[in-house]
Amino acid sequence: MPYYRSVGEVPRKRHTQFRQPDGGLYAEELVGQEGFSSDSSLLYHRHAPTAIVAAEEFTPPAFARVPNLPLKPRHLRTHKLDGTGADPVLGRQYLLANDDVRIAYVLADRPSPLFRDATGDHCLYLESGSLRVESPFGVLEAVAGDYVIIPTSTIHRLVPTGDEPTRLLAVEAAGHIGPPKRYLSVRGQFLEHSPYCERDVRGPDAPLLVDDTDVEVLVRHRRGWTRYVYAHHPFDVVGWDGHMYPWAFSIHDFEPITGRIHQPPPVHQTFQGPNFVICSFVPRKVDYHPDAIPVPYNHHNVDSDEMLFYTGGNYEARRGSGIEQGSISLHPSGFTHGPQPGAAERSIGVDFFDELAVMVDTFRPLDLCDAASACEDSGYAWTWARRP
């Protein structure tokens, strides 16, 4: 994360004696990226964070991946996956994946187990409902429209709250997710042209201080999954400081960049990950050249697949294609895509788009997972031809 936070009790100097009321030392834990060469945070535990009393292999819910063949645009209706509810980690239904990123959807109605993903960061987008994110860093509350970034190897628990169904789009990276580098100074400050800044970002603001014993934690790692039993609860942290922690940002705080003529998707970029980007399409004033055509032109991104998750409003370029709340469109590289027939003409003279969508562009092809087949609208690819 691009700025420093200090929460709870920490000593004045790092790596010096910091004692508990009974005289014993607090146990330091440095959590850092790229060895000791990038962002990190220093946590102070009441008990040793290394103390485990059991470990066994764990088999998570399985899913299969198949190539997008025949190559064609796809439309997935995520709300067709609704069941009786699930937990927001093990209940994820994987839709699309490659070796850089996995994209899943879940309707959650119960807390997740304690979970650590040692393979990469997670970006969660909350379509509806509310969620409490618990971690050694404290509590982070999220509501509809929030992105939540959970750094690699952060032990956390996701707890649905409130009365409305909690719907999550999960983007799981094989690496780190953060703001685009072009938005940041060499020292990590958001620059003036950035569509959001530090004031828009929320982080945990108080320790949790849980003191349970014999606590189970599920860990995804590079060789599979393991279930650990820790001697003491990992949320026994009295204080921490640094630049690496879970944080939230609302899509409603993204300030759109507009112009006289149609602006390309990079102006909507919100985060970057390894070989993919995440963009936010928000309500905005659109093109104000007198001859402007506000909807996108036909385009062929020769290097990337484009996935768009529709999460509110009316998406002008897709009217008439069956797109609805919770829809996901996949437009792969190797295929030219664009607005539905008649959308360009209808958009002339429109001065405002009331749309809300999250886009993931990947630079390697996305495979289809089991849940994608279960909720696909098989007629979507032919909607440009206006044939039955």
Side-chain angles (χ1 to χ4, degrees), residues 317-368:
R318 293 285 167 264
R319 193 190 304 178
S321 62
I323 294 295
E324 59 195 8
Q325 177 71 30
S327 284
I328 285 177
S329 64
L330 173 64
H331 296 144
S333 67
F335 177 83
T336 302
H337 63 279
Q340 287 289 309
E345 192 70 46
R346 286 196 306 269
S347 73
I348 294 173
V350 173
D351 61 3
F352 186 83
F353 280 177
D354 179 23
E355 63 188 21
L356 202 63
V358 174
M359 185 170 79
V360 181
D361 271 9
T362 66
F363 295 97
R364 284 200 271 195
L366 284 165
D367 291 337
L368 305 173

Side-chain angles (χ1 to χ4, degrees), residues 174-186:
H176 303 308
I177 300 172
K181 290 182 179 178
R182 69 179 185 276
Y183 293 164
L184 304 175
S185 75
V186 294

Side-chain angles (χ1 to χ4, degrees), residues 26-63:
Y26 287 111
E28 289 184 307
E29 180 189 14
L30 182 72
V31 181
Q33 298 174 349
E34 299 177 18
F36 295 85
S37 304
S38 188
D39 291 349
S40 66
S41 286
L42 187 58
L43 297 86
Y44 294 87
H45 292 264
R46 287 175 170 169
H47 307 282
T50 49
I52 57 174
V53 297
E56 63 180 10
E57 190 173 358
F58 176 77
T59 302
F63 67 93

Side-chain angles (χ1 to χ4, degrees), residues 302-313:
V302 297
D303 294 320
S304 62
D305 281 12
E306 177 191 287
M307 185 224 84
L308 204 58
F309 176 63
Y310 301 86
T311 183

Side-chain angles (χ1 to χ4, degrees), residues 55-62 87 89-91 113-116 216-221 223-228:
E56 63 180 10
E57 190 173 358
F58 176 77
T59 302
D87 88 60
V89 170
L90 296 180
L114 290 173
F115 173 62
R116 163 185 273 162
E216 289 191 359
V217 178
L218 298 180
V219 178
R220 177 197 273 142
H221 47 86
R223 295 290 187 181
W225 289 60
T226 296
R227 179 194 284 116
Y228 291 102

Side-chain angles (χ1 to χ4, degrees), residues 174-356:
H176 303 308
I177 300 172
K181 290 182 179 178
R182 69 179 185 276
Y183 293 164
L184 304 175
S185 75
V186 294
R187 296 177 181 83
Q189 181 180 5
F190 281 103
L191 298 170
E192 283 295 297
H193 66 272
S194 172
Y196 63 103
C197 74
E198 290 86 353
R199 296 184 187 184
D200 301 316
V201 170
R202 312 190 312 276
D205 56 10
L208 265 174
L209 293 175
V210 180
D211 272 334
D212 292 345
T213 57
D214 294 335
V215 178
E216 289 191 359
V217 178
L218 298 180
V219 178
R220 177 197 273 142
H221 47 86
R222 295 173 187 175
R223 295 290 187 181
W225 289 60
T226 296
R227 179 194 284 116
Y228 291 102
V229 178
Y230 279 78
H232 298 279
H233 203 293
F235 298 170
D236 65 342
V237 172
V238 298
W240 61 272
D241 74 335
H243 290 252
M244 185 176 168
Y245 47 86
W247 55 283
F249 164 70
S250 174
I251 195 171
H252 303 297
D253 285 328
F254 186 89
E255 299 300 334
I257 299 168
T258 61
R260 293 186 73 220
I261 58 175
H262 186 78
Q263 299 297 296
V267 303
H268 306 287
Q269 188 180 352
T270 312
F271 308 108
Q272 66 180 36
N275 290 318
F276 71 89
V277 300
I278 300 175
C279 300
S280 302
F281 290 81
V282 301
R284 64 195 181 277
K285 183 177 178 61
V286 291
D287 320 341
Y288 47 89
H289 185 285
D291 294 325
I293 301 175
V295 298
Y297 33 80
N298 296 312
H299 53 288
H300 182 183
N301 297 340
V302 297
D303 294 320
S304 62
D305 281 12
E306 177 191 287
M307 185 224 84
L308 204 58
F309 176 63
Y310 301 86
T311 183
N314 299 301
Y315 203 77
E316 292 293 330
R318 293 285 167 264
R319 193 190 304 178
S321 62
I323 294 295
E324 59 195 8
Q325 177 71 30
S327 284
I328 285 177
S329 64
L330 173 64
H331 296 144
S333 67
F335 177 83
T336 302
H337 63 279
Q340 287 289 309
E345 192 70 46
R346 286 196 306 269
S347 73
I348 294 173
V350 173
D351 61 3
F352 186 83
F353 280 177
D354 179 23
E355 63 188 21
L356 202 63

